[in-house]
Amino acid sequence: MALNLKLSTLGVVLLLLSACTTAPPKNINNVCHIYDEYYDWFLASDEVYKRWQVPQHVTMAFIHQESKFVGDARPPWQWFMWIIPLGRPSSAFGYAQALDGTWEEYMRQTGNWGADRDDFEDAVDFIGWYNHKSLIRNKINPHDAYSLYLAYHEGQGGFSRGTYKNKPWLLKVAKKVERRSRFYQQQLQGCRAELEDDRYWRSIFGKNETKSVDFHS
């Protein structure tokens, strides 16, 4: 009887936790729609720009590529002969698909010890932190989403050694991130003023609709 009660309680807790998970935006291809649905994401990515000098359209393009805005995203399991599970290819997790070791380094260097990879605010700050390292070490322009993504994937040392040059698949992905970044930048030109004008009221009372240029992938 006691065991059944404990199992029932555990089930309720797990159900509540799953209900608290933030669902991906309804239209991940339009950054204005994303910010309209989750205005706190606009505020978070704006803080990243102020703190790390990484533009919002670059940060959001990274999130789109890494997780499609799924907070608990992980790499898929690998299988041998479609039968024997081999585990996941890496420890990547969350919006930014940050690895265990890199996330620990981020927490240590920023002092953000309570950071969670499935928390959007923490994830975008991580992306800003890492890309800022690329700006400093590899002298990459903050608007250069293509080079920033290559450094994000290969690491600072790998980027400086050019390890990405022998990975044509990665170059294609980086080009995709670059295209997404440009589209997001174009969309933001049509809604940024309204987002800024409504900053006070939206933070208190919720969202309003914003005008935007649609983008279909």
Side-chain angles (χ1 to χ4, degrees):
M1 186 70 176
L3 178 59
N4 289 337
L5 180 60
K6 289 180 180 178
L7 290 175
S8 298
T9 303
L10 177 60
V12 171
V13 171
L14 292 175
L15 182 62
L16 290 173
L17 288 175
S18 64
C20 293
T21 303
T22 301
K26 295 181 179 66
N27 184 2
I28 65 173
N29 295 323
N30 191 302
V31 71
C32 294
H33 292 176
I34 293 172
Y35 286 155
D36 187 51
E37 187 174 353
Y38 294 116
Y39 189 70
D40 55 330
W41 290 11
F42 166 70
L43 300 177
S45 57
D46 189 44
E47 284 301 314
V48 168
Y49 174 64
K50 293 174 181 176
R51 183 178 186 185
W52 302 113
Q53 291 80 56
V54 179
Q56 290 180 326
H57 56 272
V58 173
T59 299
M60 296 296 278
F62 270 54
I63 295 287
H64 187 289
Q65 176 58 41
E66 293 302 284
S67 66
K68 298 297 187 291
F69 299 91
V70 176
D72 58 355
R74 294 180 185 273
W77 275 76
Q78 295 183 331
W79 301 80
F80 176 71
M81 298 295 290
W82 300 282
I83 300 174
I84 303 173
L86 300 177
R88 303 183 192 276
S90 76
S91 62
F93 177 71
Y95 287 107
Q97 289 296 280
L99 301 173
D100 289 350
T102 315
W103 190 260
E104 290 171 4
E105 181 185 358
Y106 160 73
M107 291 191 294
R108 184 170 59 252
Q109 290 192 5
T110 62
N112 189 11
W113 292 106
D116 294 313
R117 285 178 283 182
D118 58 356
D119 182 284
F120 185 86
E121 183 176 348
D122 293 332
V124 292
D125 192 65
F126 170 85
I127 289 176
W129 164 80
Y130 196 89
N131 281 338
H132 186 75
K133 294 164 75 72
S134 299
L135 307 185
I136 301 302
R137 176 169 175 176
N138 285 300
K139 304 296 187 293
I140 301 175
N141 187 290
H143 291 271
D144 184 358
Y146 177 77
S147 298
L148 286 173
Y149 187 79
L150 292 175
Y152 189 80
H153 191 278
E154 297 295 278
Q156 304 300 336
F159 180 84
S160 62
R161 294 192 303 273
T163 57
Y164 54 87
K165 295 178 181 178
N166 296 320
K167 299 178 179 179
W169 62 269
L170 177 58
L171 299 178
K172 290 181 180 178
V173 173
K175 280 291 183 185
K176 184 179 177 182
V177 174
E178 180 184 40
R179 271 195 316 273
R180 179 73 56 183
S181 176
R182 288 202 306 267
F183 276 113
Y184 276 175
Q185 183 179 25
Q186 178 186 4
Q187 291 162 357
L188 277 171
Q189 290 174 356
C191 67
R192 184 184 298 278
E194 188 172 348
L195 288 167
E196 291 290 352
D197 289 345
D198 292 346
R199 182 183 289 261
Y200 175 76
W201 295 109
R202 291 174 66 123
S203 298
I204 297 176
F205 298 110
K207 66 179 184 177
N208 299 317
E209 287 190 11
T210 58
K211 301 178 180 66
S212 57
V213 180
D214 205 359
F215 166 64
H216 301 282
S217 59

